[in-house]
PDB file of all heavy atoms in Angstrom:
ATOM      1  N   VAL P  97      66.933  34.637-172.477  1.00 74.00           N
ATOM      2  CA  VAL P  97      67.037  34.035-171.163  1.00 74.00           C
ATOM      3  C   VAL P  97      68.437  33.512-170.877  1.00 74.00           C
ATOM      4  O   VAL P  97      68.871  33.525-169.787  1.00 74.00           O
ATOM      5  CB  VAL P  97      65.982  32.917-170.951  1.00 74.00           C
ATOM      6  CG1 VAL P  97      64.545  33.341-170.992  1.00 74.00           C
ATOM      7  CG2 VAL P  97      66.090  31.761-171.858  1.00 74.00           C
ATOM      8  N   SER P  98      69.065  33.073-171.906  1.00 72.00           N
ATOM      9  CA  SER P  98      70.485  32.571-171.600  1.00 72.00           C
ATOM     10  C   SER P  98      71.456  33.718-171.425  1.00 72.00           C
ATOM     11  O   SER P  98      72.434  33.580-170.759  1.00 72.00           O
ATOM     12  CB  SER P  98      70.938  31.601-172.665  1.00 72.00           C
ATOM     13  OG  SER P  98      70.894  32.176-173.924  1.00 72.00           O
ATOM     14  N   ASP P  99      71.206  34.856-172.186  1.00 77.00           N
ATOM     15  CA  ASP P  99      72.227  35.992-172.060  1.00 77.00           C
ATOM     16  C   ASP P  99      71.896  36.997-171.050  1.00 77.00           C
ATOM     17  O   ASP P  99      72.841  37.613-170.392  1.00 77.00           O
ATOM     18  CB  ASP P  99      72.236  36.735-173.452  1.00 77.00           C
ATOM     19  CG  ASP P  99      72.693  35.787-174.510  1.00 77.00           C
ATOM     20  OD1 ASP P  99      73.256  34.746-174.271  1.00 77.00           O
ATOM     21  OD2 ASP P  99      72.577  36.174-175.704  1.00 77.00           O
ATOM     22  N   VAL P 100      70.584  37.179-170.655  1.00 75.00           N
ATOM     23  CA  VAL P 100      70.211  38.321-169.854  1.00 75.00           C
ATOM     24  C   VAL P 100      69.936  37.889-168.429  1.00 75.00           C
ATOM     25  O   VAL P 100      70.219  38.472-167.461  1.00 75.00           O
ATOM     26  CB  VAL P 100      69.096  39.156-170.416  1.00 75.00           C
ATOM     27  CG1 VAL P 100      68.603  40.202-169.549  1.00 75.00           C
ATOM     28  CG2 VAL P 100      69.442  39.655-171.808  1.00 75.00           C
ATOM     29  N   LEU P 101      69.165  36.687-168.363  1.00 72.00           N
ATOM     30  CA  LEU P 101      68.674  36.378-167.050  1.00 72.00           C
ATOM     31  C   LEU P 101      69.775  35.755-166.121  1.00 72.00           C
ATOM     32  O   LEU P 101      70.601  35.031-166.587  1.00 72.00           O
ATOM     33  CB  LEU P 101      67.568  35.266-167.083  1.00 72.00           C
ATOM     34  CG  LEU P 101      66.207  35.740-167.632  1.00 72.00           C
ATOM     35  CD1 LEU P 101      65.273  34.571-167.607  1.00 72.00           C
ATOM     36  CD2 LEU P 101      65.636  36.792-166.864  1.00 72.00           C
ATOM     37  N   PRO P 102      69.793  36.270-164.841  1.00 73.00           N
ATOM     38  CA  PRO P 102      70.784  35.702-163.936  1.00 73.00           C
ATOM     39  C   PRO P 102      70.516  34.221-163.600  1.00 73.00           C
ATOM     40  O   PRO P 102      69.313  33.845-163.755  1.00 73.00           O
ATOM     41  CB  PRO P 102      70.711  36.630-162.679  1.00 73.00           C
ATOM     42  CG  PRO P 102      69.300  37.191-162.696  1.00 73.00           C
ATOM     43  CD  PRO P 102      68.906  37.280-164.231  1.00 73.00           C
ATOM     44  N   PRO P 103      71.498  33.465-163.136  1.00 67.00           N
ATOM     45  CA  PRO P 103      71.276  32.107-162.852  1.00 67.00           C
ATOM     46  C   PRO P 103      70.129  31.855-161.847  1.00 67.00           C
ATOM     47  O   PRO P 103      69.445  30.784-161.905  1.00 67.00           O
ATOM     48  CB  PRO P 103      72.654  31.645-162.214  1.00 67.00           C
ATOM     49  CG  PRO P 103      73.653  32.569-162.741  1.00 67.00           C
ATOM     50  CD  PRO P 103      72.838  33.926-162.922  1.00 67.00           C
ATOM     51  N   LYS P 104      69.874  32.763-160.952  1.00 66.00           N
ATOM     52  CA  LYS P 104      68.861  32.503-159.926  1.00 66.00           C
ATOM     53  C   LYS P 104      67.427  32.557-160.587  1.00 66.00           C
ATOM     54  O   LYS P 104      66.468  32.216-159.917  1.00 66.00           O
ATOM     55  CB  LYS P 104      68.966  33.518-158.766  1.00 66.00           C
ATOM     56  CG  LYS P 104      68.659  34.912-159.071  1.00 66.00           C
ATOM     57  CD  LYS P 104      68.673  35.769-157.862  1.00 66.00           C
ATOM     58  CE  LYS P 104      68.308  37.199-158.111  1.00 66.00           C
ATOM     59  NZ  LYS P 104      68.307  38.052-156.911  1.00 66.00           N
ATOM     60  N   GLN P 105      67.387  33.078-161.809  1.00 68.00           N
ATOM     61  CA  GLN P 105      66.082  32.986-162.549  1.00 68.00           C
ATOM     62  C   GLN P 105      65.886  31.727-163.301  1.00 68.00           C
ATOM     63  O   GLN P 105      65.310  31.742-164.427  1.00 68.00           O
ATOM     64  CB  GLN P 105      65.981  34.212-163.520  1.00 68.00           C
ATOM     65  CG  GLN P 105      66.195  35.544-162.837  1.00 68.00           C
ATOM     66  CD  GLN P 105      64.872  36.150-162.432  1.00 68.00           C
ATOM     67  OE1 GLN P 105      63.932  35.472-162.161  1.00 68.00           O
ATOM     68  NE2 GLN P 105      64.807  37.439-162.274  1.00 68.00           N
ATOM     69  N   ASN P 106      66.401  30.572-162.730  1.00 65.00           N
ATOM     70  CA  ASN P 106      66.359  29.350-163.471  1.00 65.00           C
ATOM     71  C   ASN P 106      65.021  28.812-163.940  1.00 65.00           C
ATOM     72  O   ASN P 106      64.916  28.223-164.945  1.00 65.00           O
ATOM     73  CB  ASN P 106      67.003  28.302-162.580  1.00 65.00           C
ATOM     74  CG  ASN P 106      68.354  27.943-163.080  1.00 65.00           C
ATOM     75  OD1 ASN P 106      68.750  28.322-164.229  1.00 65.00           O
ATOM     76  ND2 ASN P 106      69.130  27.184-162.260  1.00 65.00           N
ATOM     77  N   ARG P 107      64.013  29.178-163.122  1.00 61.00           N
ATOM     78  CA  ARG P 107      62.681  28.700-163.486  1.00 61.00           C
ATOM     79  C   ARG P 107      62.218  29.279-164.806  1.00 61.00           C
ATOM     80  O   ARG P 107      61.745  28.500-165.652  1.00 61.00           O
ATOM     81  CB  ARG P 107      61.665  29.011-162.335  1.00 61.00           C
ATOM     82  CG  ARG P 107      60.456  28.132-162.482  1.00 61.00           C
ATOM     83  CD  ARG P 107      59.624  28.332-161.125  1.00 61.00           C
ATOM     84  NE  ARG P 107      59.539  29.766-160.815  1.00 61.00           N
ATOM     85  CZ  ARG P 107      59.820  30.190-159.592  1.00 61.00           C
ATOM     86  NH1 ARG P 107      60.256  29.394-158.685  1.00 61.00           N
ATOM     87  NH2 ARG P 107      59.672  31.414-159.303  1.00 61.00           N
ATOM     88  N   LYS P 108      62.437  30.596-164.970  1.00 62.00           N
ATOM     89  CA  LYS P 108      61.994  31.210-166.232  1.00 62.00           C
ATOM     90  C   LYS P 108      62.824  30.621-167.403  1.00 62.00           C
ATOM     91  O   LYS P 108      62.257  30.260-168.457  1.00 62.00           O
ATOM     92  CB  LYS P 108      62.317  32.736-166.225  1.00 62.00           C
ATOM     93  CG  LYS P 108      61.299  33.512-165.488  1.00 62.00           C
ATOM     94  CD  LYS P 108      61.729  34.943-165.430  1.00 62.00           C
ATOM     95  CE  LYS P 108      60.822  35.743-164.383  1.00 62.00           C
ATOM     96  NZ  LYS P 108      61.513  36.783-163.792  1.00 62.00           N
ATOM     97  N   ARG P 109      64.108  30.478-167.136  1.00 63.00           N
ATOM     98  CA  ARG P 109      65.078  29.938-168.190  1.00 63.00           C
ATOM     99  C   ARG P 109      64.631  28.465-168.501  1.00 63.00           C
ATOM    100  O   ARG P 109      64.464  28.163-169.775  1.00 63.00           O
ATOM    101  CB  ARG P 109      66.401  29.981-167.550  1.00 63.00           C
ATOM    102  CG  ARG P 109      67.542  29.504-168.491  1.00 63.00           C
ATOM    103  CD  ARG P 109      68.786  29.208-167.740  1.00 63.00           C
ATOM    104  NE  ARG P 109      69.183  30.303-166.910  1.00 63.00           N
ATOM    105  CZ  ARG P 109      70.303  31.030-167.170  1.00 63.00           C
ATOM    106  NH1 ARG P 109      71.012  30.812-168.256  1.00 63.00           N
ATOM    107  NH2 ARG P 109      70.607  32.018-166.380  1.00 63.00           N
ATOM    108  N   ASN P 110      64.314  27.711-167.547  1.00 61.00           N
ATOM    109  CA  ASN P 110      63.939  26.302-167.852  1.00 61.00           C
ATOM    110  C   ASN P 110      62.697  26.105-168.555  1.00 61.00           C
ATOM    111  O   ASN P 110      62.449  25.348-169.448  1.00 61.00           O
ATOM    112  CB  ASN P 110      63.981  25.496-166.577  1.00 61.00           C
ATOM    113  CG  ASN P 110      65.355  25.256-166.095  1.00 61.00           C
ATOM    114  OD1 ASN P 110      66.351  25.445-166.823  1.00 61.00           O
ATOM    115  ND2 ASN P 110      65.486  24.909-164.798  1.00 61.00           N
TER     116      ASN P 110
END
Side-chain angles (χ1 to χ4, degrees):
Chain P
V97 295
S98 59
D99 296 348
V100 177
L101 287 183
K104 67 178 185 178
Q105 303 268 24
N106 252 346
R107 198 170 45 234
K108 281 178 193 147
R109 186 194 303 253
N110 286 344

